[in-house]
Amino acid sequence: MTATADRPKAKALPKTKPRGRKRTVGDWIVLAFAILIAVMIVFPFIVILINSFKSPADYANGGPLTLPTGLYFDGIVNFWNRVDFPEKLWNSFFISGVVAILAVVVSVMNAFALGIGRVKGRIPLILVFLLANMLPQEVLLYPLYSIFRAVGLYDNVWAVIITFVVIQSAFGTYLLASVFGTFPKEVLEAAALDGAGRWRILWRVIVPISRPTLGVLMVFFFIWTWNEFLIPLTFLISNANQTVPVAISVLQGDRLMDVTTTSASALLGLIPTLIFFLIFQRTLTRGITAGAVK
Amino acid sequence: MPTLTPPPAAAPAPPGRRRRPRTGGGIMPFASGRSYWWYLLPGLALITIIVLVPLVWNVYLSFTEYRGIIAPRWIGLDNWTRLFDDERFWMSFRNSIGMVVAMVVVPTLLGLVLAAALFDVVGRKFGGRLASFLRATYYLPQILPSVVAAIVIGWILRPENGALNTILDAVGLGFLANNWLGNPDTALLSIMVVLVWIQIGYPVVIFMAALQRVDPELYEAAELDGAGWFHRFRAITLPMIRPEVFVVALTCTIAALKVFGPVYALTGGGPNNATIVPSYYSYQQFFQSQQVGYGAAIATALTIVIVIVSIVFVWAQNRSERKEQEQ
């Protein structure tokens, strides 16, 4: 487990140009296979894209595989207004953003004590954090539901925020504890010689130096929280509090949703994450490998 | 104030040599400040309230009858014995095996082939940029919320005039057209397709990162020796990335056991329980049947299975690493 984010070396594929080596028939077959798989993976996106701009009549005539005869925005506009999409976007954005920031702060403090402070019993503690991240959420669901009802946080975005701060920071603690465990000691010593206390060293030395890793964590927490379903579905029952995935899924099979509106709903659901993907593509590929590579 | 004696080696200072036994040492024993425990306080408080207490509470509920209104009534092992005779419960775990095939077996095998193809052939013969581009394409469905991914595929599988049925018609296989999600024989398979689509990019990215540890000279030498692609794959690629294969298999197995969103969005566990999975079954018991105690037993059983699976994986990984070292 390393913070690959701190090592720019490992991030991209070897940028070597294709050498003048001969490409055999076999190579072309492998390439064709790789491209075929890519086309199959992209195909559903394209189908959803072209059908979201069709009128139901256009769909009935041409079927799902033809290009729209004219651009038709009613499906998208209808769905947009029906679920009050900007409101759902804001809910998702607010929940995921707050979770990303708070979960990183909690992870940093935990990892400071575990990775740098090496408090007693840190191995069992790290296991507890790991377990918290591994558990199926169903096993927490009903008790949390009871707790949030009792304290008046049921159907409140903060119930979801608190829950995910804990679940995400459990992973963050696990990862950062080992990252901080290898923090260059000379830097810490130098800071201590300058008279800095632990609190200052944490925020003025450790956090700035670990910024790339923390950035990757924050992006992941944001996207993971955005994509969560079960807990927002259970705890946010009124329309005004729902997140994007919940709002889209509860309307599926609704009698008022015609075929192209349903397609438009899927399109609206995937656009935000596609935008995140385009913005954070590099961070993402760096980050997923950080969790796996030792 | 800090003292100037540098701490011994990297390991945590032994208690006897610590300058400040009260506050603990760590790898920074000389800096002044409050005990490190203060930094753990918020995190530990949160995890206790949000995870540990609910976890214990849920286990307790599994021994009670509770309909959400009057206080839970202790009934001992009744829920658990009921679980063992419950065909739907066993069905839900049998379907979980389908989820494991869709999220672990297929993506890992296909991911190995694709990662090796991109790294070994496309990257070297056709350029790294093309390989990066294809890798990003494979990864695309991974970032979607799983319900949205399910809705996308579900839309393609629509029974009337759906895209898949239209394609089958167009290529003369119209007799295969089907109500994919409504037919008990194909519903599970349809959900599995959604999961393969979501999952495939994850092993590719991880395996490709792992392959960067391999010395390219090794491949070139093997190629010069006349080793075919498959031979190189078996002799170089596979042993090299075994740790990552374990990590991918473990994380994806856990995820497969937890699948909920696609089932909720596409089939609701139907038709006729054909796609019921443990997490959906417990959700149903909690909030639709108001059988909270029974739902808690299902959720606890799922947790136990996940913990056992993780232990077995870690054990197997250690064993294989030890074997490796002995060789």
Side-chain angles (χ1 to χ4, degrees):
Chain A
M1 187 88 41
T2 38
T4 11
D6 296 331
R7 293 185 313 181
K9 198 184 90 195
K11 75 184 170 201
L13 292 168
K15 280 274 153 47
T16 46
K17 280 171 225 110
R19 310 194 189 149
R21 185 132 13 84
K22 252 193 284 167
R23 296 163 179 170
T24 63
V25 181
D27 295 338
W28 286 102
I29 293 174
V30 171
L31 179 68
F33 170 74
I35 289 176
L36 178 75
I37 299 276
V39 169
M40 284 168 65
I41 287 173
V42 171
F43 176 74
F45 290 102
I46 294 174
V47 172
I48 289 297
L49 184 68
I50 59 178
N51 285 288
S52 300
F53 295 97
K54 278 183 196 167
S55 68
D58 192 356
Y59 180 86
N61 290 332
L65 300 178
T66 53
L67 288 173
T69 49
L71 282 185
Y72 172 88
F73 292 99
D74 285 13
I76 295 175
V77 171
N78 283 342
F79 187 79
W80 179 285
N81 292 331
R82 191 129 169 251
V83 302
D84 195 353
F85 201 65
E87 182 184 67
K88 306 299 172 288
L89 273 179
W90 168 249
N91 289 341
S92 274
F93 195 80
F94 179 73
I95 292 174
S96 312
V98 174
V99 167
I101 295 167
L102 292 183
V104 166
V105 172
V106 174
S107 309
V108 163
M109 297 199 16
N110 286 342
F112 182 57
L114 295 170
I116 292 186
R118 300 191 178 237
V119 296
K120 264 197 193 130
R122 75 199 161 89
I123 303 288
L125 278 175
I126 288 176
L127 281 177
V128 168
F129 283 106
L130 193 59
L131 179 81
N133 191 258
M134 242 172 46
L135 286 176
Q137 291 167 3
E138 287 75 15
V139 86
L140 313 176
L141 200 62
Y142 207 90
L144 281 179
Y145 169 79
S146 310
I147 293 174
F148 288 135
R149 286 198 83 123
V151 299
L153 278 179
Y154 182 58
D155 200 17
N156 183 321
V157 290
W158 284 96
V160 175
I161 291 174
I162 295 170
T163 309
F164 284 121
V165 165
V166 176
I167 293 177
Q168 312 293 27
S169 70
F171 175 80
T173 301
Y174 168 71
L175 187 94
L176 282 182
S178 64
V179 171
F180 284 0
T182 60
F183 201 87
K185 226 169 13 152
E186 308 74 50
V187 178
L188 300 176
E189 282 171 16
L193 282 180
D194 285 345
R198 286 175 183 164
W199 180 256
R200 258 180 83 89
I201 292 180
L202 173 60
W203 298 109
R204 294 291 167 83
V205 179
I206 298 172
V207 167
I209 291 181
S210 319
R211 228 180 41 203
T213 315
L214 302 183
V216 171
L217 266 188
M218 210 178 276
V219 169
F220 267 80
F221 290 168
F222 183 90
I223 291 178
W224 286 343
T225 309
W226 186 285
N227 290 351
E228 280 290 344
F229 185 65
L230 176 66
I231 284 185
L233 174 76
T234 311
F235 295 157
L236 303 176
I237 40 157
S238 60
N239 266 330
N241 291 330
Q242 277 168 356
T243 61
V244 171
V246 174
I248 285 171
S249 72
V250 295
L251 273 181
Q252 297 302 311
D254 189 300
R255 227 176 295 141
L256 291 170
M257 298 267 287
D258 59 53
V259 55
T260 52
T261 308
T262 309
S263 171
S265 75
L267 183 70
L268 286 177
L270 53 86
I271 284 176
T273 38
L274 286 185
I275 293 174
F276 302 147
F277 181 70
L278 292 177
I279 300 175
F280 295 121
Q281 211 235 55
R282 293 196 119 187
T283 323
L284 285 170
T285 30
R286 256 186 297 159
I288 4 178
T289 53
V293 183
K294 286 195 191 170
Chain B
M1 277 303 289
T3 42
L4 296 181
T5 36
R17 298 179 63 177
R18 227 181 260 163
R19 305 263 334 161
R20 283 171 212 275
R22 193 176 54 80
T23 54
I27 56 178
M28 199 169 63
F30 34 78
S32 60
R34 287 176 183 282
S35 158
Y36 286 106
W37 282 101
W38 287 101
Y39 294 87
L40 267 179
L41 215 56
L44 284 181
L46 279 168
I47 207 169
T48 307
I49 298 167
I50 300 294
V51 176
L52 300 179
V53 169
L55 179 65
V56 173
W57 189 342
N58 185 83
V59 173
Y60 161 72
L61 285 178
S62 78
F63 296 105
T64 66
E65 185 185 328
Y66 183 35
R67 300 190 143 259
I69 309 154
I70 354 170
R73 190 170 61 88
W74 182 268
I75 53 168
L77 286 172
D78 282 9
N79 286 326
W80 290 91
T81 48
R82 188 177 146 202
L83 211 59
F84 280 92
D85 292 329
D86 182 357
E87 222 167 283
R88 278 174 88 189
F89 174 73
W90 293 111
M91 182 83 158
S92 72
F93 270 100
R94 221 169 316 144
N95 289 340
S96 278
I97 297 175
M99 304 295 131
V100 170
V101 170
M103 288 186 73
V104 186
V105 181
V106 174
T108 306
L109 293 179
L110 199 55
L112 274 173
V113 174
L114 286 173
L118 288 193
F119 188 82
D120 187 20
V121 178
V122 178
R124 283 193 312 135
K125 302 276 179 80
F126 298 92
R129 298 192 67 158
L130 181 60
S132 292
F133 176 77
L134 287 172
R135 180 183 65 179
T137 311
Y138 299 152
Y139 194 71
L140 216 50
Q142 259 279 301
I143 48 150
L144 299 182
S146 64
V147 268
V148 172
I151 290 165
V152 167
I153 302 288
W155 195 88
I156 288 172
L157 299 177
R158 290 173 78 87
E160 321 98 36
N161 226 348
L164 180 59
N165 286 342
T166 308
I167 293 173
L168 286 173
D169 239 3
V171 297
L173 292 170
F175 60 92
L176 285 178
N178 191 353
N179 181 0
W180 299 100
L181 288 161
N183 179 343
D185 296 329
T186 51
L188 186 67
L189 212 62
S190 305
I191 302 250
M192 287 168 67
V193 168
V194 175
L195 297 176
V196 171
W197 185 59
I198 295 176
Q199 204 61 21
I200 182 66
Y202 175 67
V204 174
V205 169
I206 300 241
F207 294 159
M208 283 185 76
L211 285 173
Q212 290 174 1
R213 290 198 307 257
V214 187
D215 185 356
E217 312 256 314
L218 215 55
Y219 278 109
E220 276 161 33
E223 208 174 358
L224 285 179
D225 282 349
W229 183 79
F230 185 69
H231 198 114
R232 296 201 301 268
F233 177 73
R234 269 201 47 200
I236 305 174
T237 312
L238 214 47
M240 212 53 212
I241 64 177
R242 193 157 47 190
E244 278 79 5
V245 175
F246 269 108
V247 171
V248 166
L250 174 61
T251 51
C252 295
T253 304
I254 293 175
L257 290 168
K258 293 186 193 171
V259 168
F260 175 82
V263 172
Y264 178 91
L266 290 183
T267 62
N272 207 359
N273 295 329
T275 55
I276 192 132
V277 288
S279 67
Y280 190 80
Y281 193 18
S282 71
Y283 177 82
Q284 242 180 4
Q285 295 297 314
F286 285 143
F287 297 108
Q288 288 163 14
S289 319
Q290 308 295 337
Q291 301 267 5
V292 178
Y294 196 54
I298 300 168
T300 308
L302 175 62
T303 309
I304 294 171
V305 171
I306 287 179
V307 170
I308 292 176
V309 165
S310 314
I311 292 172
V312 168
F313 259 103
V314 172
W315 175 79
Q317 183 174 17
N318 282 340
R319 225 175 79 113
S320 107
E321 267 172 20
R322 234 177 304 136
K323 259 192 187 156
E324 181 106 315
Q325 280 163 5
E326 278 165 17
Q327 273 168 11

